[in-house]
Amino acid sequence: MSTSPAERDAMRRALALAATPGVPLGPNPRVGCVLLDDEGRTVAEGHHRGAGTAHAEADALRLAGEHARGTTAVVTLEPCNHTGRTGPCAGALLAAGVRRVVFAQADPNPVAAGGATTLREAGVEVEQGLLADDAAALNRAWTFAVTHGRPLVTWKLATTIDGRSAAADGTSRWVSSAAARLDTHRLRAMADTMLVGTGTVAVDDPLLTVRDADGVPAPRAQQPLRVVMGERELPAQARVLNDDAETLHLRTRDPRAALTELQQRERRHVFLEGGPTLAAAFLRAGLVDEIVAYVAPVLLGSGLAGVGDLGIGTIAAALRPRVTDVTVLAPLDPTDPHDQPNVRLTLAPGGDH
């Protein structure tokens, strides 16, 4: 059994549907579905729009109606085989008379997996693995969280070329360039959780929101959850407590306890923004899965280091993350002598975390 060019094109379309902008991030994966007739023509298409809404297959089947019978369903994720907020998609495909199912990524969730087996046992042709890597990349954080039982953690830092995140007097606006800050907002929008320590809130008073180039925040429904971790009380006037996004205060200093709590709250991707003490705690616990470092052509010579004590006393014990991407971010305003190119490094810490 193999896939046709029409099915491959339909899978690309299903992946694009799954990635539809504006769909709130949540506990569920992003999924798209395209129904094809025997001639390879599109009968209907659908996608998942967030927790509690119809799954992609159900969305497409609703639009197709009686024309779904005899079609091929091209889906980015293995049809689910359990009843949650909605019914099982494998059963819905069977009830609609779909004759063939082509899906990309096998469902890593043992609670929902098994749809392929149910469909095959009922006589439906099933083909899996078409553009599987693309589908897995689309749901990278969800796949990680389901597989590892905790959210994916991306640590972001911005430093000078001598490794300082702030000057000796505590000032840090701005170490990085405008382009780097805008790029940070792009990455924030890809996570469902922002995490800082109480020290960062006390010193920097960050907003921790996703904003555009003009500083306008994204709609509240599209904002990550703002999480402040630590036992210290938050200042009553802290900007992180405004109404632009939801905020949670986790009264713990234990990174693993924090991630357990966030997993229970169905959070899948934590964007860790500081400060150095909190970052060091996550690194020492082996709980950083990705590093995004913005390096600015600035020298301070003293001041706050980008990361705190890691307990490393010799070069042989140094952490040596693997570089996966290097991007030079051009200035947004070439006429501003302070707005110089910054380098964004993306790194994988390595190991089995």
Side-chain angles (χ1 to χ4, degrees), residues 268-310:
R268 302 295 181 244
H269 189 180
V270 171
F271 199 67
L272 175 63
E273 286 221 32
T277 301
L278 188 61
F282 272 79
L283 285 165
R284 293 182 71 159
L287 294 173
V288 172
D289 308 297
E290 179 182 55
I291 301 171
V292 178
Y294 297 94
V295 183
V298 177
L299 285 166
L300 285 173
S302 64
L304 192 66
V307 63
D309 181 17
L310 295 176

Side-chain angles (χ1 to χ4, degrees), residues 311-318:
I312 296 172
T314 177
I315 192 67

Side-chain angles (χ1 to χ4, degrees), residues 72-142:
T72 293
V74 179
V75 195
T76 58
L77 182 68
E78 178 184 5
C80 67
N81 201 41
H82 84 301
T83 300
R85 292 185 178 99
T86 60
C89 290
L93 292 167
L94 289 174
V98 170
R99 70 167 186 84
R100 175 171 161 84
V101 173
V102 178
F103 67 87
Q105 181 187 9
D107 196 329
N109 186 352
V111 175
T117 299
T118 295
L119 291 165
R120 287 192 180 100
E121 290 177 348
V124 176
E125 295 179 11
V126 177
E127 182 77 14
Q128 67 184 74
L130 178 61
L131 301 183
D133 289 345
D134 299 70
L138 176 69
N139 287 307
R140 179 177 66 116
W142 174 82

Side-chain angles (χ1 to χ4, degrees), residues 9 33 37 108 124 131 136 156 160 162 169 184 189 202 204 222 274 312:
D9 290 342
C33 176
D37 65 15
V124 176
L131 301 183
K156 169 260 173 182
T160 62
D162 55 347
D169 65 355
T184 294
D204 294 339
Q222 296 177 24
I312 296 172

Side-chain angles (χ1 to χ4, degrees), residues 196-206 228 232-235 238-240:
V196 298
T198 52
T200 294
V201 172
V203 174
D204 294 339
D205 193 21
V228 183
R232 183 188 322 188
E233 291 294 333
L234 302 180
R239 297 196 299 170
V240 76

Side-chain angles (χ1 to χ4, degrees), residues 13-230:
R13 173 58 182 164
L15 287 164
L17 288 167
T20 298
V23 175
L25 295 175
N28 295 348
R30 294 188 170 198
V31 184
C33 176
V34 175
L35 298 179
L36 300 177
D37 65 15
D38 286 341
E39 301 299 321
R41 295 171 298 201
T42 299
V43 174
E45 54 187 33
H47 68 280
H48 185 52
R49 292 171 174 82
T53 66
H55 288 193
E57 299 94 321
D59 190 35
L61 292 173
R62 176 185 59 82
L63 293 173
E66 63 182 17
H67 300 293
R69 185 165 298 278
T71 60
T72 293
V74 179
V75 195
T76 58
L77 182 68
E78 178 184 5
C80 67
N81 201 41
H82 84 301
T83 300
R85 292 185 178 99
T86 60
C89 290
L93 292 167
L94 289 174
V98 170
R99 70 167 186 84
R100 175 171 161 84
V101 173
V102 178
F103 67 87
Q105 181 187 9
D107 196 329
N109 186 352
V111 175
T117 299
T118 295
L119 291 165
R120 287 192 180 100
E121 290 177 348
V124 176
E125 295 179 11
V126 177
E127 182 77 14
Q128 67 184 74
L130 178 61
L131 301 183
D133 289 345
D134 299 70
L138 176 69
N139 287 307
R140 179 177 66 116
W142 174 82
T143 301
F144 181 96
V146 168
T147 303
H148 292 78
R150 66 165 178 85
L152 176 77
V153 176
T154 297
W155 171 43
K156 169 260 173 182
L157 74 159
T159 70
T160 62
I161 55 176
D162 55 347
R164 306 294 175 176
S165 62
D169 65 355
T171 56
S172 60
R173 296 181 183 175
W174 295 103
V175 166
S176 60
S177 68
R181 296 193 298 274
L182 185 60
D183 193 61
T184 294
H185 285 284
R186 177 186 65 83
L187 295 179
R188 284 181 176 182
M190 298 169 65
D192 60 17
T193 306
M194 297 282 303
L195 178 62
V196 298
T198 52
T200 294
V201 172
V203 174
D204 294 339
D205 193 21
L207 279 168
L208 295 183
T209 54
V210 174
R211 302 185 295 279
D212 64 17
D214 297 319
V216 178
R220 182 182 172 95
Q222 296 177 24
Q223 291 285 353
L225 172 68
R226 300 181 293 195
V227 177
V228 183
M229 179 179 160

